[in-house]
Amino acid sequence: DYVVKEAQLDVLRENIGIKWKRCARGLGLTEVEIETIEHDYGRDGLPEIVHQMLEHWRMKQGSLGCTIGRLYQALQRYIKVDVIQKILDLCDSAE
């Protein structure tokens, strides 16, 4: 399984938008973590909230746990197939 790269997270940052709370729950963040992110970064706008959510997930997973497979499993119900394809295409181009 591929380790998630910054370019793949960038694709997600551009496509999650207002669904960020559902995505955060899918990624295993608790309601307290979600509320904290919203409180701390809400005034900075949605792009920053999404960025911080993904960074929080990445820190929780650690370097070995932050894989494309886990990301896919967590978000497959919340993001469109074309977004998933873009992320997978980035795996192919990294080889």
Side-chain angles (χ1 to χ4, degrees), residues 24-25 27-37 56 60:
R25 289 181 191 106
L27 290 169
L29 274 64
T30 66
E31 290 302 314
V32 171
E33 291 168 325
I34 293 167
E35 289 172 16
T36 300
I37 291 167
H56 195 85
K60 281 182 75 167

Side-chain angles (χ1 to χ4, degrees), residues 45-62:
L46 188 58
E48 184 62 21
I49 288 172
V50 172
H51 172 79
Q52 293 298 329
M53 174 202 59
L54 291 169
E55 289 302 310
H56 195 85
W57 171 76
R58 189 159 49 173
M59 285 188 296
K60 281 182 75 167
Q61 293 297 310

Side-chain angles (χ1 to χ4, degrees), residues 2 6 9-10 12 15 18 23 32 36 41 44 46 49 53 59 63-64 70 72-73 87-88 93-94:
Y2 295 95
E6 198 64 32
L9 291 178
D10 286 342
L12 283 176
N15 289 282
I18 60 172
C23 291
V32 171
T36 300
Y41 302 99
D44 298 326
L46 188 58
I49 288 172
M53 174 202 59
M59 285 188 296
S63 58
L64 296 177
R70 285 190 180 175
Y72 170 75
Q73 288 293 327
I87 291 168
L88 294 175
S93 67

